[in-house]
Amino acid sequence: RNGSSTMGVAFEATIISERADQVGSCATDKGCSFYDDAVAAGIDAARLAGAKVINMSLGGSDPGLTLLAAMQRAVNAGIVLVISAGNDGTANPDAFALTPSQKFPGMVIIAGSLGVQTPAGIDASQISSFSDKAGTGANSYLMALGFNDLAPDNTGNQFYWSGTSFSAPTISGAVALMAQAFPNLTGKQIGQLLFNSAD
């Protein structure tokens, strides 16, 4: 609600921001690198701080045992994990999201991206060409706008970004709103309500 047309969902949510990249890696041409131990430490810190939902705008290969153990501790605490599907346009989500969704059914939401450019503007009813599809993760898959999302970079300058990393926070915001509106619901119940009611 800053008047700059930035997408927002859960305006009153408390955000616990955990940096999990390999320090210095984001300044390289290859982009940021994330390792299981740092991501696991971030999940544990969020769990201990009382998070209801953890957004992971990350992708890649299967999480290792250390990261899966942290995810297990989070879902055991009732926390919903929202993980980006990936941006390769493949038939299935990245293993980084797919494996936890299969290991922790009902507690992981895989986030795909909606939005394509048309002559009339952005059509938010179509899956983005870059977004990994639901495939074998269909039971855990939801989509939100992840195309031309106006948001600041690390300097505060506004840019239009595209990727499932931008649809995942919208879904995380929906989980946060549900947790706020219905504090008696478990994480699994919130996820089920979203899966049952999503358009």
Side-chain angles (χ1 to χ4, degrees):
R1 290 188 289 200
N2 59 7
S4 67
S5 301
T6 297
M7 178 72 174
V9 179
F11 296 111
E12 303 304 324
T14 298
I15 296 175
I16 304 160
S17 181
E18 297 290 336
R19 184 172 180 173
D21 60 295
Q22 178 66 31
V23 176
S25 67
C26 294
T28 68
D29 290 341
K30 295 178 184 177
C32 303
S33 297
F34 297 87
Y35 296 101
D36 281 6
D37 59 341
V39 178
I43 290 172
D44 283 334
R47 173 179 53 83
L48 294 172
K52 302 289 185 194
V53 58
I54 296 175
N55 180 83
M56 284 182 274
S57 291
L58 302 170
S61 57
D62 279 307
L65 293 177
T66 298
L67 183 49
L68 284 172
M71 290 177 174
Q72 179 77 69
R73 290 188 291 275
V75 300
N76 286 351
I79 299 170
V80 177
L81 306 177
V82 180
I83 308 173
S84 298
N87 301 317
D88 302 312
T90 58
N92 293 299
D94 281 349
F96 187 83
L98 187 58
T99 298
S101 76
Q102 294 168 339
K103 189 164 181 61
F104 315 116
M107 294 301 291
V108 174
I109 299 173
I110 301 171
S113 174
L114 289 171
V116 297
Q117 187 66 51
T118 70
I122 295 174
D123 181 350
S125 68
Q126 295 184 49
I127 189 169
S128 303
S129 60
F130 57 78
S131 181
D132 289 356
K133 313 302 184 277
T136 54
N139 290 338
S140 300
Y141 192 92
L142 291 176
M143 290 186 288
L145 185 65
F147 179 79
N148 274 15
D149 187 13
L150 186 63
D153 69 358
N154 62 323
T155 67
N157 290 319
Q158 296 279 0
F159 289 95
Y160 286 100
W161 306 87
S162 294
T164 57
S165 289
F166 300 93
S167 54
T170 300
I171 295 170
S172 296
V175 173
L177 285 176
M178 294 289 292
Q180 179 185 22
F182 305 102
N184 57 315
L185 295 180
T186 66
K188 191 168 250 185
Q189 288 170 326
I190 289 171
Q192 198 57 55
L193 280 168
L194 290 174
F195 288 121
N196 290 345
S197 64
D199 181 359

